[in-house]
Amino acid sequence: MTQLRATAVAHPNIALAKYWGKRPDGHNLPAVPSLSVTLAGMATTTTVSFEEGLGADHLSLNDKPVAPGRIGTILGEVRRLSGIALYARVESRNDFPTASGLASSASAFAALALAASHAAGLGLSTAALSSLARRTSVSSARSVLGGFVELRVGSPAEEFTLAAEVVAPPEHMDLRVIVGVTAEGPKEVGSSDGMRHTVATSPYFEAWTALAPGLFAEIRAAVLAGDLAALGPAAEQSALAMHASAIAARPGLIYWSGGTLEALAAVRRMREGGLAAWATIDAGPHVKVLTTSADAAEVTRRLAKAPGVLRTIHTAPGEGARIVEAP
Ligand code: DP6
C-alpha cells in the first residue's frame, strides 16, 4: 500500500490590519476584514500519516504528546473528501514560542491542512486549502499564502468557501518585522476565547468593528503603494484599537505585560530618533516592530535593550505553505 504520509512547512503571519471577533451567523467567519504578511524566519513543520491500527488521531507538538484539540476538524474533512477511513498520526514542530501570541495556530493549521490533504492524495487548490484552514482558525487561512495576504469578511453563503487572497508577493515591499519576545510560556487566554469574551461583554467591540474596515482599506492601499510611512501608523492603530476593545471587556482582557509597554515606549523613542518603526501586537505580550531593511539592525539593537524583552527574532515577508521532504 502507498504511504499516506506528507510533510508541510508553513510560516506564521502577522496581521497589519487585525481580525478580532467572528460573525454571529456563520462557521468561523471573521467580523472584520484583515490583511497580513506571512513571515519567513519562524516556521511550523508538520508531518501527517494516515495509519492502519490507530484508534484515534494522535498529535505531538515539539515531540510531546498533546490532546488533538482542533485538528479533528481538518482531519475529518480530509477523510470525508478522500474517502480514507484511517486515523492519523500528526507530528508538529515550531521553532518559536507556542501559543503565546506568535501566531503559532496560524502556521500550525496551515501546515496541517496542506500535509493532511497531500497525504490523502487530494490535490486541493490554494483557495480550497485556505478555506479548509479558516474553518478551524481564521488567521491560518492567511498563512496558506505567501507575501501580503487579505481575508474579506465574506457572507454566510461563503461559510465553506471563504478563502484568503494574495495582495502582493513577498518581495513587493521593503519590510522587516522584528519580534520582541517578552515571554516564553503559553498565553492565559487563547484568541478564540478572548474574542468571544470581547464580543459578549465589551462596549467597545462595536466601535472596533466600525473602525476596522476603514483601517483595512488604508492599510491595503499603503501596501499596494509600498509606502511604509503610511502603513505603519494605520497598522499600529489597528493593533491598539483591537486591544482597546479587549481591555474594555468585563472582566478586562489584558494580553500585555510590563515588557509589552516598555517595548511600545522604545518604538516611540525610535521614531523620535528618526527610525522607521511602528508596533503591532497580537493576542499575547510580544511586540512586533515594522521597519525597513536599512533600519532593521538598529531597531533590533534598541528593541533588545527594552526592559522585559527577552530576545528578538528577525523576520521578513516569506512564502506560503509548501510540501517538503519528510524530516
Ligand atoms: C490577534 O485566528 O487565532 O492574531 O479564528 O478563533 O482561531 P480563531 O482565532 P485566531 O485569531 C487571531 C487574532 C489576532 C489577529 C489576526 O491575526 O488577525
Side-chain angles (χ1 to χ4, degrees):
M1 186 178 145
T2 47
Q3 269 209 330
L4 301 171
R5 178 187 167 90
T7 299
V9 168
H11 301 296
N13 67 77
I14 178 81
L16 303 169
K18 301 292 182 197
Y19 143 64
W20 192 251
K22 298 174 203 288
R23 288 172 69 114
D25 53 2
H27 186 67
N28 232 25
L29 292 167
V32 296
S34 58
L35 193 152
S36 60
V37 56
T38 303
L39 296 176
M42 298 188 276
T44 298
T45 305
T46 298
T47 301
V48 175
S49 61
F50 291 97
E51 295 177 14
E52 308 271 359
L54 293 179
D57 292 321
H58 289 270
L59 172 64
S60 75
L61 189 54
N62 294 334
D63 296 321
K64 290 198 192 81
V66 291
R70 289 192 280 174
I71 68 167
T73 310
I74 290 178
L75 293 174
E77 182 64 1
V78 166
R79 277 189 283 263
R80 194 183 69 77
L81 292 170
S82 64
I84 290 171
L86 302 173
Y87 285 109
R89 195 179 296 285
V90 178
E91 288 165 5
S92 195
R93 267 185 207 87
N94 288 327
D95 63 2
F96 56 90
T98 298
S100 59
L102 275 177
S104 57
S105 67
S107 50
F109 292 122
L112 175 68
L114 180 58
S117 60
H118 198 82
L122 293 171
L124 296 185
S125 67
T126 307
L129 273 173
S130 173
S131 168
L132 174 63
R134 191 215 84 235
R135 278 174 264 158
T136 298
S137 178
V138 169
S139 59
S140 68
R142 301 186 312 237
S143 270
V144 168
L145 298 153
F148 297 84
V149 178
E150 68 181 332
L151 182 63
R152 297 177 296 111
V153 287
S155 67
E158 292 171 284
E159 190 157 44
F160 296 104
T161 53
L162 181 69
E165 288 166 72
V166 170
V167 172
E171 62 283 0
H172 166 73
M173 178 172 176
D174 179 31
L175 177 70
R176 295 294 178 271
V177 180
I178 312 302
V179 182
V181 176
T182 57
E184 300 288 4
K187 62 189 172 196
E188 282 167 24
V189 182
S191 321
S192 311
D193 288 342
M195 59 182 89
R196 238 188 322 270
H197 180 63
T198 307
V199 173
T201 70
S202 173
Y204 293 176
F205 182 69
E206 231 170 280
W208 157 247
T209 53
L211 176 75
L215 277 180
F216 166 81
E218 198 182 333
I219 287 165
R220 191 176 193 280
V223 164
L224 285 173
D227 185 351
L228 181 60
L231 170 62
E236 194 169 289
Q237 188 183 12
S238 175
L240 295 179
M242 173 209 123
H243 280 276
S245 75
I247 288 169
R250 186 167 172 152
L253 181 52
I254 303 173
Y255 283 107
W256 299 356
S257 66
T260 313
L261 290 168
E262 294 284 3
L264 279 175
V267 170
R268 295 212 164 173
R269 282 195 299 273
M270 292 177 206
R271 280 209 294 272
E272 282 158 19
L275 292 168
W278 290 272
T280 185
I281 310 165
D282 277 341
H286 315 294
V287 174
K288 291 112 179 184
V289 187
L290 311 175
T291 187
T292 59
S293 53
D295 286 352
E298 184 59 15
V299 164
T300 304
R301 199 183 66 76
R302 295 208 199 174
L303 185 63
K305 284 205 317 207
V309 172
L310 306 175
R311 61 195 177 91
T312 57
I313 305 172
H314 183 280
T315 71
E319 289 176 69
R322 57 210 177 269
I323 292 292
V324 294
E325 287 297 310

